[in-house]
Amino acid sequence: MGVDEDSSSAILPDSELGTGAPSLRFSKTCLKNVFSVILLFIYLLLMAVAVFLVYQTISDFREKLKHPVMSVSYKEVSLYDAPGIAFYPGKARLLSCKHHYYDHIPPLINPGQPGDIECTTQRINYTDPFTNQTMKYALVVQGPRDVKKKELVFLQFHLNGTDQDFSAIDYLLFSSFQEFVNSPEKAEFMKDCESSYSSWKFSGGFRTWVKMSLVKTKEEDGRETVEFKQETSVVNYIDQRTRLRSDQLFFVVFEWKDPFIQTVQDIITANPWNTIALLCGIFLALFKAADFAKLSVKWMIKIRKRHLKRRSQVMNHIS
């Protein structure tokens, strides 16, 4: 009886260990599987975020290509290229034209009488570019250059009489008087200028002071267009001539507003190299996440197979 009791007591701990060890291994395996599933979901979430970032990056890049940003820069100069000022006086006559400096215009001497014409002028006839039938007469005058010395051009016109209710003289500005002088086809040159530039007016009985500024615009195809902006101030002319007259006097002054040329161009802010670098980083993260997910799935399958194998071994042992 004592031998049987000893043998039975020796077998009992083995049976208890045999039943406790599989449950402990099962709990560890379950925890590992749960942890692996959680990691897998985390990396799937990261992959979804990376895919969204790729889509957002490409969309932003395309949007920036479609909508470039306007850039404005200023270049300071001391001398401008002398502009051309084309007057369409009609029946009016140029009496005087002089260059002055530092915004100083001396008092008028014998207004309404012919004076000195110290400006470079040319007269040109050409057909109207819009009708191709009407002949137009233009008086082209060289504009001011020296902006540091505040150079200005002061012109006086005289209109002997008119049957119109209002009197005014048209004019337009173009970028370079020298280009007009060097042009072999001056009539075609003026037709192109009239088609490209806006025209303005100044009225009789006033002194109109025009301050010009130059704006250059760079187009997408590389061409550069020039536009003039103007600020005008008008002062009434007090006619002190003795006799009552029906004629009209026109006074106009042209001067540069400031020494800055404004340049406007469209800039594409989308940088392809930054976009490529960002996409490379995102794709690398995608591949790493996919590789980790693949290894995690393989590891889970391996753990599952090992667990099933051990379970079958235990079942066989018990049976």
Side-chain angles (χ1 to χ4, degrees):
M1 290 295 290
V3 175
D4 294 338
E5 288 177 357
D6 293 337
S7 60
S8 62
S9 62
I11 294 172
L12 183 60
D14 291 340
S15 61
E16 288 178 354
L17 290 173
T19 56
S23 63
L24 182 62
R25 287 195 297 268
F26 177 76
S27 62
K28 289 182 178 180
T29 303
C30 182
L31 288 175
K32 289 181 180 179
N33 289 338
V34 172
F35 183 69
S36 299
V37 170
I38 292 174
L39 282 180
L40 183 60
F41 276 110
I42 290 175
Y43 276 90
L44 288 176
L45 179 62
L46 291 177
M47 289 177 65
V49 172
V51 171
F52 174 75
L53 288 177
V54 170
Y55 171 77
Q56 193 67 29
T57 302
I58 296 175
S59 299
D60 291 344
F61 183 77
R62 294 178 61 185
E63 193 68 21
K64 289 179 180 179
L65 288 178
K66 292 180 181 178
H67 301 90
V69 178
M70 185 177 68
S71 171
V72 179
S73 60
Y74 294 89
K75 178 183 177 182
E76 185 175 3
V77 295
S78 58
L79 289 175
Y80 279 93
D81 188 8
I85 311 171
F87 296 95
Y88 300 93
K91 296 181 179 180
R93 184 164 60 101
L94 177 64
L95 294 181
S96 63
C97 178
K98 292 184 179 182
H99 290 258
H100 301 287
Y101 295 90
Y102 300 107
D103 291 340
H104 175 68
I105 299 176
L108 296 174
I109 300 175
N110 296 325
Q113 299 298 320
D116 297 330
I117 299 179
E118 300 174 356
C119 305
T120 304
T121 62
Q122 287 199 17
R123 289 171 170 79
I124 182 73
N125 293 313
Y126 63 93
T127 57
D128 192 313
F130 302 105
T131 63
N132 288 326
Q133 295 178 354
T134 308
M135 289 296 297
K136 303 191 72 172
Y137 160 70
L139 173 67
V140 183
V141 179
Q142 182 178 358
R145 296 187 66 230
D146 197 336
V147 65
K148 292 295 185 181
K149 295 182 179 180
K150 295 185 178 181
E151 179 185 1
L152 57 87
V153 178
F154 176 55
L155 301 99
Q156 179 185 178
F157 290 87
H158 175 260
L159 180 62
N160 194 21
T162 179
D163 54 355
Q164 299 179 354
D165 296 328
F166 303 95
S167 58
I169 294 178
D170 295 335
Y171 70 94
L172 66 83
L173 300 170
F174 55 90
S175 57
S176 176
F177 179 80
Q178 194 61 39
E179 287 184 11
F180 167 75
V181 173
N182 297 334
S183 175
E185 296 291 338
K186 292 181 173 57
E188 292 297 325
F189 183 91
M190 289 306 303
K191 289 173 68 175
D192 293 338
C193 287
E194 189 171 351
S195 302
S196 304
Y197 297 99
S198 301
S199 61
W200 294 272
K201 298 177 182 290
F202 61 95
S203 301
F206 298 93
R207 186 194 67 186
T208 304
W209 198 301
V210 180
K211 291 193 175 183
M212 307 173 293
S213 57
L214 195 62
V215 179
K216 294 183 178 181
T217 303
K218 292 184 178 180
E219 305 292 341
E220 294 182 358
D221 55 1
R223 293 184 299 107
E224 187 177 78
T225 60
V226 178
E227 178 187 1
F228 282 91
K229 290 186 177 180
Q230 300 184 42
E231 293 182 6
T232 58
S233 59
V234 179
V235 178
N236 185 37
Y237 167 66
I238 302 175
D239 195 347
Q240 297 180 352
R241 293 176 294 178
T242 55
R243 292 187 303 169
L244 182 63
R245 299 173 181 267
S246 61
D247 58 352
Q248 285 283 340
L249 295 178
F250 301 79
F251 304 94
V252 63
V253 181
F254 291 91
E255 180 188 11
W256 288 108
K257 177 185 175 183
D258 52 47
F260 299 103
I261 298 177
Q262 181 179 341
T263 302
V264 180
Q265 60 181 342
D266 290 334
I267 295 179
I268 297 175
T269 56
N271 191 337
W273 295 112
N274 291 343
T275 305
I276 291 172
L278 181 60
L279 290 177
C280 288
I282 294 174
F283 281 123
L284 181 62
L286 278 173
F287 287 131
K288 288 292 183 181
D291 188 51
F292 180 83
K294 181 180 177 182
L295 292 177
S296 299
V297 171
K298 286 183 177 180
W299 183 68
M300 290 174 61
I301 294 173
K302 184 178 179 180
I303 293 296
R304 180 66 177 170
K305 287 181 178 179
R306 185 182 299 174
H307 172 68
L308 292 175
K309 183 178 179 180
R310 287 179 179 177
R311 185 177 178 183
S312 63
Q313 288 177 353
V314 170
M315 294 301 293
N316 291 333
H317 179 72
I318 293 173
S319 63

